[in-house]
Amino acid sequence: MRALTKGIMLLGASAILPVAAVAEDHSAPNGEKEANWSLVIHGGAGTISRDKITAEKDAEIRAKLTQALDAGEAILAEGGDAADAVIAAIMVLEDDPNFNAGKGAVLTWEETFSLDSSIMEGATRNAGSAAGVSATKNPILLARAVMDKSRHVLLSGAGADAFSQEQGLEQVEQDYFATPHRVKALEAFKLRMNAAAKGSAKAMGQDALGRDWRFGTVGAAALDESGNIAAGTSTGGMTGKRWGRIGDSPIIGAGTYADNRSCGISATGAGEYFIRVGVAQEFCTRVRIAAEVSESPPSAETVQKTADAVIAEMGALGGSGGIIYLTPWGQIGYAFDTPGMYRGMASSAQPKSVAIYGDE
Ligand code: GLY
């Protein structure tokens, strides 16, 4: 069954943006699962529209999203682990310069790269995150090392870099992450900021979080054949970030959450607003309570409405972005308030699909 909702919602005081959301329901009416495994990914949301993307770039992005799904599917279809599938999918996107994670990350105000990542497993609610790291080639591997090999959930900065080296993760020079389009984006950002208010906090907040921004954070959520859910997120953050700014991506409960009782979710967007709402945990908690109160799995429509409501709540504060999610009952979906979101889904019950624009 496929449920598609589209509409208009009021964002903040005056802005009205189209909302696109799609839910795939692979659960049987009695709540038994039809999908043995499922996978959903994103490569960021934002001002992504047909007039801004060439046909070649459109095809390139779709091919990379498909490759990320293939990498996760290869693990899940063999009965592999959800966290392994999440990491495999995210690494494909981290290694591709089109996305704001790993190679292709945005630059900080100081013209450096500062990377954030997180992963969570739904069976144990064990989690690991890294914030503000500078040399790990694939930051999602560092998040997993924090989860599996340390007593902690979140490591940051120089300490996280040292832990990464100790764990034997591949280290690269900062130049590895650099791409010409991100260098140009920082130059343009600095010009705007300097013209606006010589870097005043107010002007920076308005521009850095403005709706014209393109968020390229990547993420994935997976449900494996054992019924375990995992979710992960990786990002370079926001162009021109400074003062050690950290967004939602490494914050468990904001950018990432996984709980076998309810959902796996990864977010992309203006991280400050996702932190303030606690988007990832808010969504999972609402889904869990819906299931507990009715003593049955919520319908795909209920889950999708919940996703839309959480995005609307974040948008009402002035933020913008999107989420991908899946549930233990086989539902897979997206919700976003931006013109587009790079995204894809696959499961044992359906052929894989990828999409970019809000009207797909
Ligand atoms: N959502 C990514 C960030 O705000 O850093």
Side-chain angles (χ1 to χ4, degrees):
M1 187 168 81
R2 182 181 166 93
L4 179 66
T5 61
K6 280 186 185 297
I8 299 287
M9 78 179 168
L10 198 62
L11 291 157
S14 58
I16 296 176
L17 287 176
V19 175
V22 60
E24 298 275 349
D25 188 358
H26 303 132
S27 58
N30 64 3
E32 268 176 41
K33 274 183 293 174
E34 285 175 358
N36 294 322
W37 61 264
S38 46
L39 175 66
V40 60
I41 61 169
H42 71 81
T47 52
I48 300 165
S49 52
R50 286 186 176 79
D51 57 326
K52 293 194 173 116
I53 297 185
T54 63
E56 292 74 28
K57 186 58 78 179
D58 178 300
E60 200 180 307
I61 298 273
R62 287 177 200 272
K64 199 50 68 171
L65 292 170
T66 303
Q67 190 186 329
L69 287 173
D70 288 344
E73 175 176 353
I75 291 165
L76 294 168
E78 293 298 313
D81 175 65
D84 289 341
V86 162
I87 287 169
I90 287 179
M91 283 179 68
V92 169
L93 303 176
E94 284 182 336
D95 290 344
D96 188 277
N98 286 302
F99 304 97
N100 175 18
K103 186 166 186 62
V106 299
L107 287 96
T108 68
W109 187 264
E110 295 79 17
E111 298 170 20
T112 61
F113 298 91
S114 178
L115 310 167
D116 305 331
S117 60
S118 63
I119 190 159
M120 184 166 187
E121 290 182 319
T124 55
R125 279 176 283 158
N126 201 2
S129 302
V133 297
S134 65
T136 304
K137 178 170 179 274
N138 290 105
I140 193 66
L141 293 177
L142 179 51
R144 184 168 210 174
V146 173
M147 177 172 76
D148 289 345
K149 306 279 176 54
S150 85
R151 302 185 279 126
H152 308 296
V153 169
L154 173 57
L155 299 183
S156 69
D161 283 336
F163 179 75
S164 177
Q165 286 171 30
E166 266 182 35
Q167 292 300 314
L169 299 179
E170 186 174 352
Q171 307 291 302
V172 290
E173 297 295 328
Q174 286 250 294
D175 281 356
Y176 164 80
F177 301 113
T179 48
H181 66 291
R182 299 299 190 195
V183 172
K184 266 173 64 182
L186 180 67
E187 285 166 4
F189 179 77
K190 283 192 169 183
L191 279 177
R192 280 203 310 280
M193 295 308 297
N194 287 331
K198 290 268 177 224
S200 81
K202 185 159 183 279
M204 175 151 241
Q206 285 172 348
D207 262 5
L209 304 180
R211 287 185 188 281
D212 281 344
W213 219 246
R214 192 186 288 209
F215 312 107
T217 296
V218 310
L223 167 70
D224 65 28
E225 284 189 348
S226 303
N228 289 321
I229 289 175
T233 308
S234 180
T235 191
M238 286 184 147
T239 298
K241 65 184 181 180
R242 62 198 306 198
W243 305 303
R245 180 265 185 194
I246 302 293
D248 59 314
S249 302
I251 307 299
I252 296 300
T256 299
Y257 205 74
D259 182 340
N260 280 6
R261 300 170 298 176
S262 55
C263 83
I265 173 173
S266 171
T268 172
E272 283 71 7
Y273 298 95
F274 284 73
I275 292 171
R276 287 165 60 191
V277 173
V279 163
Q281 188 167 12
E282 177 75 12
F283 172 70
C284 285
T285 300
R286 289 191 195 189
V287 171
R288 177 169 61 81
I289 288 172
E292 286 175 359
V293 166
S294 64
E295 295 182 359
S296 63
S299 67
E301 286 75 13
T302 297
V303 176
Q304 185 61 54
K305 274 188 190 155
T306 305
D308 292 341
V310 174
I311 287 295
E313 193 175 321
M314 179 277 307
L317 296 184
S320 182
I323 57 173
I324 55 163
Y325 69 80
L326 50 72
T327 72
W329 311 290
Q331 295 131 347
I332 320 172
Y334 323 106
F336 51 99
D337 64 5
T338 47
M341 179 162 82
Y342 301 134
R343 59 201 190 275
M345 59 170 70
S347 81
S348 48
Q350 67 165 357
K352 66 180 70 70
S353 62
V354 299
I356 295 179
Y357 313 107
D359 59 6
E360 302 184 68

